[in-house]
Amino acid sequence: SGGSNDGPLIVGASNADAVRYLRHVATWPVRSAVLTGPRGSGRSLMGRLFARETGGRVIDGPDSGSQEEIFHG
């Protein structure tokens, strides 16, 4: 479930839109996000940092909770 490096996220051309979107969570109609990308792209790090800042939770795969909890929690 992601790398062990929770250092600062480097924002660049490849992730700037995602970071901008995640910074405006208060405007979301539904407070959920799905981060996708190839292995090593930083999606787990971005998810953990975002969850830490917002009090959210990272669901990393099907073993992270029941379908009821994941989709209707």
Side-chain angles (χ1 to χ4, degrees):
S1 59
S4 59
N5 180 7
D6 275 356
L9 180 67
I10 298 171
V11 179
S14 64
N15 66 1
D17 287 340
V19 169
R20 190 171 23 264
Y21 183 74
L22 293 173
R23 286 186 175 149
H24 293 93
V25 68
T27 65
W28 297 5
V30 176
R31 304 245 170 122
S32 298
V34 176
L35 302 176
T36 64
R39 184 178 188 91
S41 65
R43 66 188 185 278
S44 294
L45 171 60
M46 188 180 297
R48 285 191 305 271
L49 294 172
F50 174 70
R52 189 177 310 139
E53 288 180 17
T54 63
R57 181 171 75 119
V58 173
I59 298 172
D60 193 12
D63 297 330
S64 297
S66 70
Q67 285 189 9
E68 180 68 26
E69 182 182 26
I70 292 171
F71 296 108
H72 304 287

